Amino acid sequence: MKAAKKSPRARNERVSNPRQRRQQQLLDVRVRSHKATRHRNRRVLVVVSKVVLAAAVGTGLYFGVRFGAKRLFFENPDYRLSRIEVQTDGTMQREQILEVSGLVEGENIFTINLAQVQERLQQLPQVDEVQVVRQMPGEIDIRLVERKPIAWITSDKQISDPFASDVAFLVDARGVLMKEKKLLPEYLGLPLITGCTSESLEAGKVVESFEGKAALELLRLSTRSFMQTRFQIREIDVSKGYCLLVSDKNHTRVTFGFDNLDTQLQRLEQFLVYADDSKRDLETVNLLVQRNIPVTFAKNPVEVINETIDPEGSEPRILKAIPLHPLAKTEQRPPASAKSRANGLPPPVRKAIPVQRSRKD
């Protein structure tokens, strides 16, 4: 029998049929899907483990640091507040500062909020700057810079004693109103701003009116070398609303406008120099006028005396004393001294009447 010969396969002929190839592809996809799932689960498990470990370490560190800080700092008796140092350049009392700050000796120094203490002290009208410093182990330093009042201000047009008035406030260069509990003698010599009725005055507020700001600006500009010694402002009346009526220590009355105060002071300085050279005193100056400024000079003492006493005046009147109760004509009048001694009464009171002198022809 003759064996049948198989024809050799072509080199590019596939071994499997299409059905087998489809099954092989499905098996490959399933294998790859299972591997990807296992790989993904492994990565998620690693990430979760790391997160849990980090959280555990962080929690342990947090509670450990908190416990250590509590034992070493917050509950350590060495860090109790044992000393409060207060420094101020004004008149505020230590008890007032401590009451406002809320600091109490014996509390832990780390539990004190320095920002809150500084904010409470800064709200005081008398305080300009404040600094609160923690000094280890148990000290806190408070340094205050108080506001320096430059004038009194009131809504009244006239006031005799700002010390005793409830409507008079001290004001600093920034316009902050103050009501000092302890008044110093030098406060009585401060200038007085009157007639400020355009705003409500209250301690802690800032002067907002145009007239009040102009008066403060005038006080600031008048502190120059020459003007401070020659023109010392005692009172500024702002009640007119269109000008500042200023009086100085020599009772000179000067009217200022609200604008260009520096230029007006320069013109006033020229008048003061002229008055000093001529040895005369200014009485009134109206600086509202830019040209031909009205100026009056005060009279010297000699002129005042001459006007008061005139040596060439009329002749003095001659007075004659007569009794208040004249006696009858028939009644004889004994001497006053004898009658008073007899009756035990004081002598009669007599009044003087003028008698016209006869003129010679």
Side-chain angles (χ1 to χ4, degrees):
M1 184 176 175
K2 190 176 179 179
K5 295 183 180 180
K6 296 181 179 180
S7 60
R9 256 183 309 187
R11 294 181 178 178
N12 58 352
E13 184 179 355
R14 294 182 177 179
V15 178
S16 59
N17 53 28
R19 182 178 180 182
Q20 292 175 345
R21 287 197 298 271
R22 285 196 298 270
Q23 292 179 354
Q24 185 66 31
Q25 291 176 357
L26 291 175
L27 292 174
D28 292 341
V29 171
R30 290 175 181 175
V31 171
R32 287 196 298 268
S33 177
H34 287 301
K35 289 182 178 179
T37 302
R38 287 197 300 269
H39 183 67
R40 185 170 59 252
N41 293 338
R42 189 180 299 112
R43 291 182 59 183
V44 171
L45 182 60
V46 171
V47 172
V48 172
S49 301
K50 290 182 178 180
V51 171
V52 172
L53 180 61
V57 173
T59 305
L61 289 176
Y62 171 76
F63 284 103
V65 171
R66 185 175 180 180
F67 178 78
K70 186 176 181 181
R71 293 293 301 273
L72 296 176
F73 298 101
F74 295 100
E75 294 182 356
N76 193 338
D78 296 336
Y79 295 109
R80 291 179 181 174
L81 183 59
S82 59
R83 181 180 179 184
I84 303 175
E85 185 69 22
V86 178
Q87 298 179 4
T88 180
D89 61 346
T91 61
M92 294 188 64
Q93 302 296 322
R94 173 185 173 87
E95 292 75 12
Q96 180 185 3
I97 297 174
L98 293 180
E99 181 181 358
V100 175
S101 65
L103 296 176
V104 180
E105 294 184 357
E107 60 181 332
N108 188 273
I109 195 173
F110 292 104
T111 60
I112 300 173
N113 192 331
L114 300 184
Q116 292 182 359
V117 175
Q118 183 173 351
E119 183 179 358
R120 286 195 292 265
L121 292 174
Q122 193 71 52
Q123 293 177 356
L124 292 173
Q126 302 93 330
V127 176
D128 188 12
E129 297 179 3
V130 59
Q131 184 181 8
V132 183
V133 181
R134 183 186 287 114
Q135 299 288 350
M136 304 301 293
E139 180 181 347
I140 289 182
D141 295 343
I142 300 176
R143 301 181 180 91
L144 296 178
V145 178
E146 298 187 25
R147 302 184 187 276
K148 300 298 186 296
I150 62 172
W152 291 91
I153 186 170
T154 179
S155 57
D156 294 344
K157 294 184 178 181
Q158 292 182 354
I159 185 171
S160 58
D161 187 7
F163 268 51
S165 177
D166 295 334
V167 296
F169 297 86
L170 291 169
V171 59
D172 69 342
R174 299 181 182 178
V176 180
L177 301 177
M178 297 172 286
K179 199 70 174 180
E180 296 283 356
K181 292 185 178 180
K182 181 180 179 181
L183 298 176
L184 299 180
E186 53 265 26
Y187 292 166
L188 189 59
L190 293 176
L192 179 62
I193 302 175
T194 61
C196 190
T197 58
S198 59
E199 59 182 333
S200 59
L201 302 179
E202 186 178 348
K205 290 187 176 181
V206 181
V207 175
E208 298 292 346
S209 63
F210 186 75
E211 300 87 350
K213 290 182 177 180
L216 294 176
E217 180 67 12
L218 179 61
L219 290 175
R220 186 186 66 83
L221 293 175
S222 64
T223 56
R224 294 180 300 179
S225 58
F226 175 78
M227 298 299 294
Q228 187 176 9
T229 56
R230 184 60 180 82
F231 186 72
Q232 296 183 3
I233 298 177
R234 303 305 307 156
E235 184 176 346
I236 302 178
D237 185 6
V238 300
S239 60
K240 296 296 182 180
Y242 63 90
C243 66
L244 301 175
L245 301 179
V246 183
S247 302
D248 72 338
K249 66 175 184 178
N250 296 326
H251 304 289
T252 301
R253 300 184 301 276
V254 183
T255 304
F256 286 88
F258 291 136
D259 300 327
N260 301 323
L261 292 174
D262 196 5
T263 304
Q264 297 181 62
L265 283 174
Q266 292 178 2
R267 280 184 279 172
L268 177 61
E269 185 175 348
Q270 297 177 358
F271 285 112
L272 292 174
V273 172
Y274 174 79
D276 292 340
D277 294 340
S278 60
K279 297 181 179 180
R280 304 181 67 182
D281 294 331
L282 291 175
E283 185 173 7
T284 62
V285 180
N286 189 351
L287 297 176
L288 288 175
V289 184
Q290 297 184 359
R291 300 181 61 182
N292 300 326
I293 299 176
V295 179
T296 60
F297 293 92
K299 298 179 180 180
N300 55 38
V302 176
E303 295 178 354
V304 175
I305 294 175
N306 291 337
E307 292 180 358
T308 305
I309 302 177
D310 187 4
E312 297 180 358
S314 59
E315 297 180 356
R317 296 183 301 173
I318 299 177
L319 303 179
K320 178 181 179 182
I322 61 174
L324 290 176
H325 304 285
L327 300 176
K329 294 182 179 180
T330 58
E331 184 180 358
Q332 296 181 358
R333 292 184 299 176
S337 58
K339 185 177 180 180
S340 356
R341 285 194 300 268
N343 299 332
L345 299 175
V349 180
R350 302 175 183 272
K351 70 176 183 178
I353 60 173
V355 176
Q356 294 183 356
R357 299 179 59 181
S358 59
R359 295 182 180 180
K360 297 180 179 180
D361 295 332

